[in-house]
Amino acid sequence: MSEGVTHLQLAVHAARESLEPAYIEAGYLKVCLSVTDHADLINHLREEELFLHDIDPEGWVEIPKPALFFENINELFRKPQRRRNEPDREYYLLDVNWLSTEEEPPLVVERWRNVCHFLELVGEVADHQFERQNELELVFLHQEKLVIEVKFSSSDLVSLACLDELENEFLRSDTHREKKISIFRSVLTERYKGRGRVNFGELLRDFFRLLDSLRNNYDLFVSEFSFENIKSQVERDKLEFTTRLNKVFSDIQNQLLAVPAALLLVGSQMEKTDPIGWSLKNVVIWLGAVVFAVLMELLIRNQRNTLQAVKNEMDLQKMIFKDHHRAIYHKFKDVYVELGQRFRHQRNLLWFIRCLVGAALGFTTSMLAVYSVEVSVCYAVLIGSGVGVAPVVLALFNVYQCHRKRRQG
């Protein structure tokens, strides 16, 4: 025996060298050793004060059982915390003759490790976790309260062959993750409806039934949100947003008829006095044009706010769609690009109308200047251009202020 061997490793060596199957009785490990064949081992046991009784005629020796020397995995499970995680130190299972530092764990250990991982996944989606006297309880509050007590034995350690599917396709999936978790909770509470409390061992035995129910419920959910249904919904949303964007312009089409009417009124009704001077008729016509320009500016601003509200709703719809259907978002990206282009087109139309109204006001002002004061036509046009551009400049300044506040906010 080499130096630095722990009591556990020494006990394991003795159990493996036993001439008869070693066994545990009253907290002691009993092994059958030969004085001649196992002299070094017996001396080492005496040096470590593990040799309790002299060898009887048949060669049996009693050794104090080390703390992490287990007869079987059920003995390991006696401490509740060990059901959830392997001991952080070296341990040994006598019935399968396996030391935890060795490779190729036995089937019972592989299944136990899968169970620990399954328990971790279920714990992540539970509404609450409680620990009472080292006993862990998982609480689900979907439809009704269900408490899962983390208790199981070796007989519950079934094969969890589809555990990776449960993890990657459902509980830790990126697609519809919240909905899949909700379906899993629903499957659990429906499976044990009216029970209130169940042991985790029962979940292990029902693992494949639960997984089948989860698949079926998710397939039902997906069938209600198939690609064709999503496509139809996006097309409906596109039509609705396009209609609302177009309505912003169509709502003021009747008012636009007043623009040529105003020009016709100015051209036909304004008159030059002799001698040149301020005519009440000309001033009234000009004031009418000013009032018309102010009212049209207010109307255009109102329509612009309506257009922006539709744009904000479009952006929100786009963000929600992208979050919920990230995997297929690229197939519908062009729809939102087209809607963005339509928004910009309608916004440009409003600016065009604003410029027309400004031009009408500028023309009226130029006519008033020509008919009322001694001024050249060129100078009158400059005065009219300045008056006509003023509403447009004020509108641009207002838009700039709004964008500035939005960035600061």
Side-chain angles (χ1 to χ4, degrees):
M1 296 294 293
S2 61
E3 295 182 1
V5 177
T6 65
H7 286 188
L8 174 65
Q9 293 169 342
L10 189 57
V12 169
H13 182 64
R16 288 175 171 175
E17 290 293 322
S18 179
L19 300 176
E20 297 289 339
Y23 65 95
I24 296 174
E25 183 179 277
Y28 293 99
L29 173 64
K30 296 195 174 184
V31 295
C32 184
L33 301 175
S34 167
V35 175
T36 55
D37 295 336
H38 302 106
D40 291 341
L41 175 58
I42 293 173
N43 290 333
H44 201 168
L45 289 172
R46 285 193 172 121
E47 290 173 2
E48 297 293 332
E49 299 181 351
L50 294 178
F51 193 97
L52 293 185
H53 300 287
D54 291 335
I55 298 178
D56 64 12
E58 296 180 356
W60 287 98
V61 177
E62 275 190 353
I63 300 174
K65 186 173 75 69
L68 295 179
F69 189 108
F70 303 107
E71 184 175 8
N72 51 48
I73 202 167
N74 282 328
E75 183 183 355
L76 184 149
F77 289 163
R78 287 175 186 170
K79 285 191 175 181
Q81 60 269 30
R82 288 179 182 160
R83 300 191 197 112
R84 310 192 291 268
N85 297 291
E86 287 189 78
D88 53 6
R89 293 183 294 152
E90 192 177 36
Y91 66 93
Y92 177 75
L93 299 177
L94 177 61
D95 62 335
V96 291
N97 187 25
W98 181 73
L99 193 62
S100 62
T101 52
E102 298 173 340
E103 297 180 354
E104 298 183 3
L107 180 62
V108 67
V109 174
E110 288 185 348
R111 290 184 173 182
W112 172 41
R113 288 174 176 174
N114 286 335
V115 166
C116 291
H117 189 50
F118 179 45
L119 176 59
E120 178 185 353
L121 294 175
V122 176
E124 287 179 358
V125 300
D127 292 293
H128 301 287
Q129 296 188 30
F130 295 103
E131 191 166 347
R132 299 176 181 175
Q133 297 179 348
N134 293 326
E135 294 282 0
L136 182 65
E137 294 183 352
L138 307 179
V139 181
F140 290 85
L141 302 174
H142 188 86
Q143 297 176 352
E144 64 179 49
K145 183 178 179 180
L146 175 67
V147 179
I148 300 176
E149 300 176 347
V150 182
K151 295 180 180 179
F152 54 87
S153 63
S154 60
S155 61
D156 299 319
L157 301 180
V158 298
S159 172
L160 303 180
C162 298
L163 185 60
D164 288 343
E165 178 187 353
L166 177 67
E167 177 182 5
N168 299 324
E169 299 298 326
F170 293 99
L171 300 187
R172 289 181 178 172
S173 170
D174 292 332
T175 306
H176 297 150
R177 183 172 183 268
E178 293 301 322
K179 185 61 182 179
K180 290 175 179 178
I181 291 175
S182 177
I183 293 174
F184 179 76
R185 292 171 176 167
S186 176
V187 167
L188 276 183
T189 52
E190 185 64 28
R191 177 72 184 176
Y192 306 110
K193 188 175 182 179
R195 297 276 299 276
R197 303 179 76 88
V198 295
N199 288 340
F200 192 75
E202 192 167 351
L203 262 70
L204 297 177
R205 296 192 296 273
D206 293 338
F207 176 80
F208 291 100
R209 297 187 185 93
L210 293 171
L211 184 57
D212 284 340
S213 296
L214 181 58
R215 290 169 180 156
N216 294 335
N217 280 270
Y218 180 67
D219 288 343
L220 180 61
F221 166 75
V222 171
S223 67
E224 295 176 355
F225 294 91
S226 64
F227 180 83
E228 291 301 323
N229 288 340
I230 293 174
K231 182 179 179 181
S232 298
Q233 181 62 45
V234 170
E235 292 297 331
R236 287 195 296 270
D237 290 342
K238 177 184 177 182
L239 178 60
E240 178 187 352
F241 283 125
T242 302
T243 302
R244 291 170 63 183
L245 290 172
N246 292 338
K247 192 173 183 294
V248 171
F249 182 76
S250 63
D251 283 347
I252 60 173
Q253 280 182 337
N254 291 334
Q255 287 82 347
L256 294 181
L257 296 176
V259 176
L263 296 177
L264 180 63
L265 176 66
V266 172
S268 63
Q269 298 299 317
M270 272 194 178
E271 56 187 22
K272 196 169 186 178
T273 60
D274 188 18
I276 293 178
W278 295 96
S279 168
L280 179 61
K281 181 180 179 181
N282 291 344
V283 172
V284 170
I285 293 175
W286 180 80
L287 289 176
V290 171
V291 172
F292 167 73
V294 171
L295 292 178
M296 283 300 298
E297 176 62 24
L298 294 176
L299 181 61
I300 291 171
R301 289 194 181 191
N302 179 70
Q303 295 305 99
R304 182 183 178 280
N305 291 336
T306 302
L307 189 66
Q308 187 61 47
V310 176
K311 176 63 164 57
N312 293 340
E313 191 172 341
M314 285 165 43
D315 291 342
L316 178 61
Q317 183 75 12
K318 175 183 176 181
M319 182 179 65
I320 293 175
F321 182 85
K322 189 174 182 179
D323 289 342
H324 289 184
H325 307 286
R326 188 176 298 274
I328 59 174
Y329 169 74
H330 65 282
K331 295 181 180 293
F332 300 95
K333 185 177 180 180
D334 291 343
V335 171
Y336 294 100
V337 172
E338 291 177 16
L339 288 174
Q341 293 173 345
R342 191 64 188 173
F343 163 77
R344 289 187 291 273
H345 174 72
Q346 296 299 97
R347 183 183 60 188
N348 293 337
L349 280 180
L350 291 180
W351 278 108
F352 177 71
I353 295 170
R354 181 177 274 124
C355 291
L356 280 181
V357 173
L361 180 61
F363 175 75
T364 305
T365 304
S366 298
M367 291 289 291
L368 179 65
V370 169
Y371 288 159
S372 301
V373 294
E374 291 285 353
V375 65
S376 66
V377 174
C378 291
Y379 190 68
V381 170
L382 287 176
I383 294 174
S385 299
V387 174
V389 169
V392 179
V393 173
L394 290 174
L396 286 172
F397 180 74
N398 180 66
V399 171
Y400 169 75
Q401 290 291 99
C402 292
H403 281 242
R404 184 179 178 184
K405 290 180 180 179
R406 191 177 296 116
R407 287 196 300 269
Q408 291 176 349

